[in-house]
Amino acid sequence: MRTVGDLIRGRSFYSVTSGQSVYDTARYMAEKDIGAVPVLENDRLVGIFSERDIIKRVIVGGKDVGQTLVRDVMTTEVVVAQSAEDVAQVMEKMKKTTEDLRRAESA
């Protein structure tokens, strides 16, 4: 059984704070070559900010990337995995959650 801990061991962890601007966060994501980043407040996970959030909630929403804060456009429905969880089970949990969220968005 391969665990989440096996996947992340030895890897860098990148995050942003909810008060950062979308512009600064997008630059950080480009610099680190990542498509999504966890959002923290006081070392607590409060959301995730992704390329999809930039497209759907910022660009299409007509928001100013320099003035808009990550907290205002991040995704707050986050699937969390524990390091001891089996990778296959976590992937299934993520898939179901994504399907549920997309179904709710289109309703």
Side-chain angles (χ1 to χ4, degrees):
M1 170 178 89
R2 192 162 183 205
T3 67
V4 172
D6 295 334
L7 287 179
I8 63 172
R9 192 168 293 114
R11 293 193 179 205
S12 299
F13 176 76
Y14 304 113
S15 65
V16 297
T17 63
S18 63
Q20 287 179 247
S21 73
V22 166
Y23 178 79
D24 289 341
T25 302
R27 284 186 55 103
Y28 177 73
M29 290 167 62
E31 178 184 299
K32 301 299 181 189
D33 196 27
I34 54 178
V37 64
V39 182
L40 307 178
E41 280 182 9
N42 301 316
D43 293 328
R44 193 178 134 261
L45 180 67
V46 294
I48 188 164
F49 185 69
S50 68
E51 293 167 335
R52 181 179 167 103
D53 294 323
I54 294 169
I55 293 166
K56 290 189 77 169
R57 297 181 178 153
V58 180
I59 295 171
V60 174
K63 298 186 184 311
D64 181 327
V65 295
Q67 299 298 314
T68 303
L69 300 180
V70 170
R71 76 169 54 98
D72 298 327
V73 290
M74 69 184 180
T75 299
T76 56
E77 297 284 331
V78 181
V79 176
V80 178
Q82 303 302 315
S83 63
E85 283 187 85
D86 178 68
V87 171
Q89 290 174 331
V90 172
M91 294 296 290
E92 192 58 38
K93 181 167 51 170
M94 291 172 64
K95 180 181 174 189
K96 181 181 178 343
T97 301
T98 300
E99 290 170 354
D100 291 347
L101 288 172
R102 294 229 167 114
R103 203 172 305 112
E105 284 179 353
S106 65

Coordinates of all heavy atoms in Angstrom, one line a residue, residues 22-65:
V22 N -4.1 38.4 -5.6 CA -4.1 37.4 -6.7 C -2.9 37.5 -7.5 O -2.3 36.5 -7.9 CB -5.4 37.5 -7.5 CG1 -5.3 36.7 -8.8 CG2 -6.6 37.1 -6.7
Y23 N -2.5 38.7 -7.8 CA -1.3 39.0 -8.7 C 0.0 38.4 -8.0 O 0.7 37.6 -8.7 CB -1.1 40.5 -8.9 CG 0.1 40.8 -9.7 CD1 0.1 40.6 -11.1 CD2 1.3 41.2 -9.2 CE1 1.2 40.8 -11.9 CE2 2.4 41.4 -9.9 CZ 2.4 41.3 -11.3 OH 3.5 41.5 -12.0
D24 N 0.2 38.7 -6.8 CA 1.4 38.2 -6.1 C 1.4 36.6 -6.0 O 2.4 36.0 -6.2 CB 1.5 38.8 -4.7 CG 1.9 40.2 -4.7 OD1 2.4 40.7 -5.8 OD2 1.7 40.9 -3.7
T25 N 0.2 36.1 -5.8 CA 0.0 34.6 -5.7 C 0.3 34.0 -7.0 O 0.9 33.0 -7.1 CB -1.3 34.3 -5.1 OG1 -1.5 34.9 -3.8 CG2 -1.5 32.8 -4.9
A26 N -0.3 34.6 -8.1 CA -0.1 34.0 -9.4 C 1.4 34.0 -9.8 O 1.9 33.1 -10.4 CB -0.9 34.8 -10.4
R27 N 2.1 35.1 -9.5 CA 3.5 35.2 -9.8 C 4.3 34.1 -9.0 O 5.2 33.4 -9.5 CB 4.1 36.5 -9.4 CG 3.7 37.6 -10.4 CD 4.4 38.9 -10.1 NE 5.8 38.8 -10.0 CZ 6.7 39.1 -10.9 NH1 6.3 39.7 -12.0 NH2 8.0 38.9 -10.7
Y28 N 3.9 33.9 -7.7 CA 4.5 32.9 -6.9 C 4.3 31.5 -7.5 O 5.2 30.7 -7.6 CB 4.0 33.0 -5.5 CG 4.4 32.0 -4.5 CD1 5.7 32.0 -4.0 CD2 3.6 31.0 -4.0 CE1 6.2 31.1 -3.0 CE2 4.0 30.0 -3.1 CZ 5.3 30.1 -2.6 OH 5.8 29.2 -1.6
M29 N 3.1 31.2 -7.9 CA 2.7 29.9 -8.5 C 3.5 29.7 -9.8 O 4.0 28.6 -10.0 CB 1.2 29.9 -8.8 CG 0.4 29.8 -7.5 SD -1.4 30.0 -7.8 CE -1.8 28.7 -8.9
A30 N 3.7 30.7 -10.6 CA 4.5 30.6 -11.8 C 6.0 30.4 -11.5 O 6.6 29.5 -12.1 CB 4.3 31.9 -12.7
E31 N 6.5 31.1 -10.5 CA 7.9 30.9 -10.1 C 8.1 29.5 -9.6 O 9.2 28.9 -9.9 CB 8.1 31.9 -9.0 CG 9.5 31.9 -8.4 CD 9.6 32.9 -7.2 OE1 9.4 34.1 -7.5 OE2 9.9 32.4 -6.1
K32 N 7.2 28.9 -8.9 CA 7.4 27.6 -8.3 C 6.9 26.5 -9.3 O 7.0 25.3 -9.0 CB 6.6 27.4 -7.0 CG 7.1 28.4 -5.9 CD 8.5 28.2 -5.6 CE 9.0 29.2 -4.5 NZ 10.4 29.2 -4.3
D33 N 6.3 26.9 -10.4 CA 5.8 26.0 -11.5 C 4.7 25.1 -10.9 O 4.8 23.8 -11.1 CB 6.9 25.2 -12.1 CG 6.5 24.6 -13.4 OD1 5.5 25.1 -14.1 OD2 7.0 23.5 -13.8
I34 N 3.7 25.7 -10.2 CA 2.7 24.9 -9.6 C 1.3 25.5 -10.0 O 1.2 26.7 -10.3 CB 2.7 24.9 -8.0 CG1 2.8 26.3 -7.5 CG2 3.9 24.1 -7.6 CD1 2.8 26.4 -6.0
G35 N 0.3 24.6 -10.1 CA -1.0 25.0 -10.6 C -2.0 25.3 -9.5 O -3.1 25.9 -9.8
A36 N -1.6 25.0 -8.3 CA -2.5 25.3 -7.2 C -1.7 25.4 -5.9 O -0.6 24.8 -5.8 CB -3.6 24.2 -7.0
V37 N -2.2 26.1 -4.9 CA -1.4 26.3 -3.7 C -2.3 26.4 -2.5 O -3.4 27.0 -2.6 CB -0.5 27.6 -3.8 CG1 -1.4 28.9 -4.0 CG2 0.4 27.8 -2.7
P38 N -2.0 25.7 -1.4 CA -2.8 25.8 -0.2 C -2.8 27.2 0.4 O -1.8 27.9 0.3 CB -2.1 24.8 0.8 CG -1.2 24.0 0.0 CD -0.8 24.8 -1.2
V39 N -3.9 27.6 0.9 CA -4.0 28.9 1.5 C -4.1 28.8 3.0 O -5.0 28.0 3.5 CB -5.3 29.7 1.0 CG1 -5.4 31.1 1.6 CG2 -5.2 29.8 -0.5
L40 N -3.3 29.5 3.8 CA -3.2 29.3 5.2 C -3.6 30.7 5.9 O -3.3 31.7 5.4 CB -1.8 28.9 5.7 CG -1.2 27.7 5.0 CD1 0.2 27.4 5.6 CD2 -2.1 26.5 5.3
E41 N -4.2 30.5 7.1 CA -4.4 31.7 8.0 C -3.9 31.2 9.4 O -4.4 30.1 9.9 CB -5.8 32.1 8.1 CG -6.3 33.0 7.0 CD -7.7 33.4 7.1 OE1 -8.4 33.2 8.2 OE2 -8.2 33.9 6.1
N42 N -2.9 31.8 10.0 CA -2.4 31.4 11.3 C -2.0 29.9 11.3 O -2.4 29.2 12.2 CB -3.4 31.7 12.4 CG -3.7 33.2 12.5 OD1 -2.8 34.0 12.4 ND2 -5.0 33.5 12.6
D43 N -1.3 29.5 10.2 CA -0.9 28.1 10.0 C -2.0 27.1 10.0 O -1.8 25.9 10.2 CB 0.1 27.7 11.2 CG 1.4 28.5 11.1 OD1 1.8 28.8 10.0 OD2 2.0 28.7 12.2
R44 N -3.2 27.5 9.6 CA -4.4 26.7 9.5 C -4.8 26.7 8.0 O -5.0 27.8 7.4 CB -5.5 27.2 10.4 CG -6.6 26.2 10.6 CD -7.7 26.7 11.6 NE -9.0 26.5 11.0 CZ -9.7 27.4 10.4 NH1 -9.3 28.6 10.3 NH2 -10.9 27.1 9.8
L45 N -5.1 25.6 7.4 CA -5.6 25.5 6.1 C -7.0 26.1 6.0 O -7.9 25.6 6.7 CB -5.6 24.0 5.6 CG -6.1 23.8 4.2 CD1 -5.1 24.4 3.2 CD2 -6.2 22.3 3.9
V46 N -7.2 27.0 5.1 CA -8.5 27.6 5.0 C -9.0 27.5 3.5 O -10.2 27.9 3.3 CB -8.5 29.1 5.4 CG1 -8.3 29.2 6.9 CG2 -7.5 30.0 4.6
G47 N -8.2 27.1 2.6 CA -8.6 26.9 1.2 C -7.5 26.5 0.3 O -6.4 26.3 0.8
I48 N -7.8 26.5 -1.0 CA -6.8 26.3 -2.0 C -7.1 27.3 -3.1 O -8.2 27.6 -3.4 CB -6.8 24.8 -2.5 CG1 -5.7 24.6 -3.4 CG2 -8.2 24.5 -3.2 CD1 -5.4 23.1 -3.6
F49 N -6.0 27.8 -3.7 CA -6.1 28.7 -4.8 C -5.5 28.1 -6.0 O -4.3 27.6 -6.0 CB -5.4 30.0 -4.4 CG -5.6 31.1 -5.5 CD1 -6.8 31.7 -5.7 CD2 -4.5 31.5 -6.3 CE1 -7.0 32.7 -6.6 CE2 -4.6 32.5 -7.2 CZ -5.9 33.1 -7.4
S50 N -6.2 28.1 -7.1 CA -5.8 27.3 -8.3 C -5.9 28.2 -9.6 O -6.5 29.3 -9.6 CB -6.6 26.1 -8.5 OG -8.0 26.4 -8.8
E51 N -5.3 27.7 -10.6 CA -5.4 28.3 -11.9 C -6.9 28.5 -12.3 O -7.3 29.4 -12.9 CB -4.7 27.5 -13.0 CG -3.2 27.5 -12.8 CD -2.4 26.5 -13.6 OE1 -3.0 25.5 -14.0 OE2 -1.2 26.7 -13.8
R52 N -7.7 27.5 -12.0 CA -9.1 27.5 -12.3 C -9.8 28.7 -11.5 O -10.6 29.4 -12.1 CB -9.8 26.2 -11.8 CG -11.2 26.1 -12.1 CD -11.8 24.7 -11.6 NE -13.2 24.7 -11.6 CZ -14.0 24.1 -12.5 NH1 -13.4 23.5 -13.5 NH2 -15.3 24.2 -12.4
D53 N -9.4 29.0 -10.3 CA -9.9 30.1 -9.6 C -9.6 31.4 -10.3 O -10.4 32.3 -10.4 CB -9.4 30.1 -8.1 CG -9.9 29.0 -7.3 OD1 -11.0 28.6 -7.5 OD2 -9.1 28.5 -6.5
I54 N -8.3 31.5 -10.8 CA -7.9 32.7 -11.5 C -8.8 32.9 -12.7 O -9.3 34.0 -13.0 CB -6.4 32.6 -11.9 CG1 -5.5 32.6 -10.7 CG2 -6.0 33.8 -12.8 CD1 -4.1 32.3 -10.9
I55 N -9.0 31.9 -13.5 CA -9.8 32.0 -14.7 C -11.3 32.3 -14.4 O -11.8 33.3 -14.9 CB -9.7 30.7 -15.6 CG1 -8.2 30.5 -16.1 CG2 -10.7 30.7 -16.7 CD1 -7.9 29.2 -16.6
K56 N -11.9 31.5 -13.6 CA -13.3 31.6 -13.4 C -13.7 32.7 -12.5 O -14.7 33.4 -12.7 CB -13.9 30.3 -12.8 CG -13.9 29.1 -13.8 CD -14.6 28.0 -13.3 CE -16.1 28.2 -13.4 NZ -17.0 27.1 -13.1
R57 N -13.0 33.0 -11.4 CA -13.4 33.9 -10.4 C -12.8 35.3 -10.6 O -13.3 36.3 -10.0 CB -13.2 33.4 -9.0 CG -14.0 32.1 -8.8 CD -13.8 31.6 -7.4 NE -14.6 30.4 -7.2 CZ -14.3 29.5 -6.4 NH1 -13.3 29.5 -5.6 NH2 -15.2 28.4 -6.3
V58 N -11.6 35.4 -11.2 CA -10.9 36.6 -11.4 C -11.1 37.2 -12.8 O -11.7 38.2 -13.0 CB -9.4 36.5 -11.0 CG1 -8.7 37.8 -11.1 CG2 -9.3 36.0 -9.5
I59 N -10.5 36.5 -13.8 CA -10.5 37.0 -15.1 C -12.0 37.1 -15.7 O -12.4 38.2 -16.1 CB -9.7 36.1 -16.1 CG1 -8.2 36.2 -15.6 CG2 -9.8 36.5 -17.5 CD1 -7.3 35.2 -16.3
V60 N -12.7 36.0 -15.7 CA -14.1 36.0 -16.2 C -15.0 36.9 -15.3 O -15.9 37.6 -15.8 CB -14.7 34.6 -16.3 CG1 -16.1 34.6 -16.6 CG2 -13.9 33.8 -17.3
G61 N -14.6 37.0 -14.0 CA -15.4 37.8 -13.1 C -15.1 39.3 -13.2 O -15.7 40.1 -12.5
G62 N -14.1 39.6 -14.0 CA -13.7 41.0 -14.2 C -13.0 41.7 -13.0 O -13.1 42.9 -12.8
K63 N -12.4 40.9 -12.2 CA -11.7 41.5 -11.0 C -10.3 42.0 -11.3 O -9.7 41.4 -12.2 CB -11.7 40.5 -9.9 CG -13.1 40.0 -9.4 CD -13.0 39.1 -8.2 CE -14.4 38.6 -7.8 NZ -15.4 39.5 -7.6
D64 N -9.8 42.9 -10.5 CA -8.5 43.4 -10.7 C -7.5 42.5 -9.9 O -7.6 42.4 -8.7 CB -8.5 44.8 -10.0 CG -7.1 45.5 -10.1 OD1 -6.1 44.8 -10.1 OD2 -7.1 46.8 -10.2
V65 N -6.6 41.9 -10.7 CA -5.7 41.0 -10.0 C -4.8 41.6 -9.0 O -4.4 40.9 -8.0 CB -4.8 40.2 -11.1 CG1 -5.6 39.4 -12.0 CG2 -3.9 41.2 -11.9

